[in-house]
Amino acid sequence: MLAGGVGGARFLQGLVEVVDPTAVTIVGNVGDDLEPYGLHVSPDLDTVLYTLTGRIDADKGWGVRGDTPRALEQARALGAEAWFWLGDLDLGLHLARTEMLRSGRPLHAVTARLAAAMGLEATLLPATDDRLRTMVTIPGGEVDFQTYYVRRGHADPVSRIRFDGAESARPAPGVLEAIAAADVVVIAPSNPFISIDPILAVPGIRDAVAARRERVVAVSPIVAGRALRGPAAGMLETLGHETSVVGVAELYRSLAGTLVIDEEDAPAAARVERLGLRARVAATVMANLDASRALAAQTLAAGGPAP
Ligand code: FO1
């Protein structure tokens, strides 16, 4: 499964209940990564880790449930800007990750160690060990992803998205192999531009997914023209696409044989199919675990014989 943060993690919660979690490999986005205070934070990997190991703050969708901001408040009191919210327990993870990275281990090995220590049963791989950063052009110029997303509240119209470092990035060990060997490749209901594209931008990954097109199922993050979370709908519009499941189908038509669309979008199924994808209608809004489980089961069924 190619996954960004919150939408991907919610889907995965259901997926690991309908298949053996040890059979699941997650290729995670690292374009959102940042280094506040010199610490390496990987928000999307962490959202998956926290969600699948039962630690997530379900209200926010990210961070650790019950976490406290004492370190951050102290930093603010001492004059730090501290606009990126980091709880005390979350900081502990970033300290551990940063120390391991500084000792020379690559990100995939560090992620595997953290995942094992936290009890993750699935395999979580960063798309790349190399530095890749999502850069966003808004009125006034280009900013790094978290400045756009968190600091400025993803309120600016986006005219361009670029993945700094992508050209020379290599897929992390295991990524291409997992895609090639998968029974089904799922593209999560994550934002296509800022969660999935930075994964596909790593040379080799897009081709590996396209080579499995018949077994690739994308789940639309757009329902009735709206994103359930975040700026996907606005980005479809400002980047020149139709703000609908048809716009999503256009983005994924060379990669995915099937697009799962919401019941509300059933009338658009014929237009999706005219683009050369099979449209499968399901309840895609994951309001609870039952809904995530049902969506995961239907998505897998759409991608091939039941595992
Ligand atoms: N999202 C916010 O809206 N504000 C924050 O201050 C914030 C801090 C944060 C810290 C750790 C982490 O793992 C995630 C965090 N997120 C925060 C979420 C994150 O920035 C975004 O949801 C993703 O990067 C988009 O996929």
Side-chain angles (χ1 to χ4, degrees), residues 4 8 98 114 141 156 159 164 166 168 181 202 204 228-230 233 243-244 256 260 277 301:
T98 304
L114 298 171
D156 301 285
S159 56
D164 192 51
S168 52
V202 177
L228 295 173
R229 189 188 171 90
T243 311
S244 74
V260 177
L277 297 93

Side-chain angles (χ1 to χ4, degrees), residues 4-6 29 32 41-44 46-47 50 62-63 83-86 90 94 145-146 149-150 194-195 229:
V6 182
N29 169 37
D32 297 12
V41 181
S42 292
D44 281 1
D46 294 347
T47 296
Y50 288 144
W62 50 269
W83 52 267
F84 195 73
W85 204 94
L86 290 170
D90 194 29
H94 309 316
F145 177 78
Q146 298 294 356
Y149 195 90
V150 170
I194 54 177
S195 295
R229 189 188 171 90

Side-chain angles (χ1 to χ4, degrees), residues 197-258:
D197 263 1
I199 300 174
L200 299 170
V202 177
I205 298 186
R206 182 182 291 276
D207 288 346
V209 175
R212 302 298 317 282
R213 187 177 182 277
E214 275 311 297
R215 289 301 186 108
V216 178
V217 185
V219 183
S220 175
I222 296 288
V223 173
R226 292 182 304 275
L228 295 173
R229 189 188 171 90
M235 286 182 171
L236 277 166
E237 189 184 334
T238 63
L239 296 172
H241 305 274
E242 183 173 318
T243 311
S244 74
V245 291
V246 177
V248 176
E250 277 165 355
L251 293 173
Y252 287 147
R253 63 188 294 194
S254 65
L255 296 172
T258 305

Side-chain angles (χ1 to χ4, degrees), residues 130-307:
D130 301 318
R131 193 179 187 287
L132 182 155
R133 293 290 180 275
T134 300
M135 304 295 295
V136 180
T137 302
I138 57 175
E142 188 180 65
V143 294
D144 66 89
F145 177 78
Q146 298 294 356
T147 295
Y148 156 75
Y149 195 90
V150 170
R151 191 166 201 182
R152 300 182 56 84
H154 50 78
D156 301 285
V158 173
S159 56
R160 182 167 181 243
I161 297 172
R162 185 175 70 84
F163 305 112
D164 192 51
E167 317 73 46
S168 52
R170 291 149 301 169
V175 169
L176 298 181
E177 295 83 350
I179 294 168
D183 294 318
V184 179
V185 178
V186 179
I187 300 180
S190 300
N191 185 312
F193 303 106
I194 54 177
S195 295
I196 304 300
D197 263 1
I199 300 174
L200 299 170
V202 177
I205 298 186
R206 182 182 291 276
D207 288 346
V209 175
R212 302 298 317 282
R213 187 177 182 277
E214 275 311 297
R215 289 301 186 108
V216 178
V217 185
V219 183
S220 175
I222 296 288
V223 173
R226 292 182 304 275
L228 295 173
R229 189 188 171 90
M235 286 182 171
L236 277 166
E237 189 184 334
T238 63
L239 296 172
H241 305 274
E242 183 173 318
T243 311
S244 74
V245 291
V246 177
V248 176
E250 277 165 355
L251 293 173
Y252 287 147
R253 63 188 294 194
S254 65
L255 296 172
T258 305
L259 181 67
V260 177
I261 63 174
D262 191 70
E263 287 159 351
E264 281 201 63
D265 291 307
R271 287 187 65 211
V272 169
E273 299 211 326
R274 276 202 289 280
L275 291 169
L277 297 93
R278 285 178 294 275
R280 288 285 175 277
V281 177
T284 66
V285 182
M286 295 175 283
N288 53 47
L289 188 54
D290 279 344
S292 300
R293 217 184 273 130
L295 178 60
Q298 284 172 286
T299 302
L300 289 184

